[in-house]
Amino acid sequence: MKVQETEEPANILDRLIRYSDSVRLFIKYTISKKMLYLLGKNVYIHPTVAFNIPNKIRISDDCKLYQGVILNARSSHEIGIQLGKGVKIHEYSYVDSYGGNVHLDDYVGIGHHCIIGGHGGLTVGKYTMISGLTYIVPANHNYDRRNVPYLHQGETCKGIKIGNNVWIGAGCTILDGVSIGDNAVIGAGAIVSKDIPENTLALGVPAKVIRQL
Ligand SMILES: CC(C)(COP(=O)(O)OP(=O)(O)OC[C@H]1O[C@@H](n2cnc3c(N)ncnc32)[C@H](O)[C@@H]1OP(=O)(O)O)[C@@H](O)C(=O)NCCC(=O)NCCS
């Protein structure tokens, strides 16, 4: 089998489109960075990071936002998304305050492809690690009425609190109203629907404590 060694050279139209896309991206990135509510020192932001409503986003010193991250700060609060010192958000994760707010305290790490919502409020304590593909959703649709589509029944939002130095394994779902205590570990794939006390290891669907740490 013959291996093709070179790529087909791009025609002038392709090149122009690619060039104008890069220019558009660069302008959007530069403008929204300038509009951020607060931008700390020594912050790394990959050029593909997108900010919606940047004037409600606060980014402290030493934060790192990697490729494809989206911060969407639609919120009725003054600040929709607040990142403490040294927070890292990995590739393609989506953080959306959904009308509430998201506060990630110092040195929180968010893995890749996470969805982090702030509907009823989300606080995550210092040094907590949230592994890839995790979904944190501090809201539920109401579904009591039979004659109205769920879409139009509104939402209940209680909020989620995650303590300091928690490790949430890959692919977990954290549901509304839950608190996870300091130093807890949540096994990969768990669905957390009830509070998890501090210093415990919890696993499974729904997540249950299997031992003290
Ligand atoms: C939770 C975890 C840390 C536990 O590891 P551990 O202390 O070595 O625990 P063990 O492997 O001894 O498992 C204890 C029991 O729980 C089960 N178990 C382990 N992890 C589980 C999980 N995530 N969900 C359900 N059951 C699990 C084991 O099969 C074992 O069952 P058994 O007693 O019937 O044999 C680990 O299993 C885990 O989920 N790690 C997450 C890794 C990850 O997501 N990394 C992302 C990058 S940071």
Side-chain angles (χ1 to χ4, degrees):
M1 195 177 79
K2 220 175 165 191
V3 178
Q4 199 176 343
E5 281 171 5
T6 50
E7 245 184 61
E8 193 79 358
N11 67 34
I12 187 84
L13 189 62
D14 282 345
R15 281 189 202 173
L16 266 173
I17 290 168
R18 272 187 222 168
Y19 179 71
S20 64
D21 275 353
S22 316
V23 171
R24 195 164 44 82
L25 197 69
F26 178 75
I27 293 170
K28 206 175 152 207
Y29 169 76
T30 312
I31 291 173
S32 48
K33 249 177 93 173
K34 289 219 178 314
M35 283 171 66
L36 288 169
Y37 179 89
L38 189 132
L39 181 63
K41 283 176 269 156
N42 191 31
V43 169
Y44 168 77
I45 300 175
H46 190 275
T48 56
V49 171
F51 301 104
N52 189 31
I53 322 186
N55 59 345
K56 291 193 176 222
I57 299 175
R58 187 182 175 137
I59 300 176
S60 309
D61 298 348
D62 305 322
C63 285
K64 290 187 169 39
L65 305 179
Y66 295 100
Q67 183 165 348
V69 164
I70 299 174
L71 301 186
N72 187 349
R74 48 185 166 152
S75 177
S76 52
H77 301 251
E78 191 190 343
I79 301 292
I81 297 175
Q82 182 169 354
L83 308 184
K85 201 174 172 206
V87 167
K88 288 184 186 168
I89 305 184
H90 283 270
E91 287 78 357
Y92 303 105
S93 280
Y94 178 64
V95 182
D96 189 338
S97 46
Y98 276 108
N101 52 19
V102 173
H103 179 199
L104 308 181
D105 210 336
D106 300 346
Y107 304 107
V108 164
I110 307 283
H112 55 87
H113 295 91
C114 290
I115 301 177
I116 311 289
H119 317 58
L122 169 68
T123 56
V124 181
K126 291 185 174 61
Y127 297 103
T128 285
M129 298 186 290
I130 295 171
S131 307
L133 297 166
T134 289
Y135 198 154
I136 301 181
V137 50
N140 276 308
H141 287 286
N142 297 326
Y143 54 91
D144 296 336
R145 292 153 71 193
R146 296 279 68 79
N147 53 348
V148 180
Y150 301 136
L151 180 67
H152 299 308
Q153 293 193 32
E155 283 186 337
T156 309
C157 304
K158 299 178 187 158
I160 293 176
K161 285 197 179 87
I162 301 175
N164 298 312
N165 187 39
V166 171
W167 173 32
I168 296 177
C172 288
T173 302
I174 317 292
L175 297 175
D176 191 29
V178 152
S179 289
I180 301 179
D182 294 345
N183 312 312
V185 174
I186 311 294
I191 297 190
V192 182
S193 57
K194 299 257 164 58
D195 291 354
I196 303 296
E198 58 182 16
N199 305 316
T200 57
L201 168 61
L203 302 169
V205 179
K208 298 262 189 263
V209 172
I210 63 156
R211 68 167 186 264
Q212 287 289 130
L213 297 174

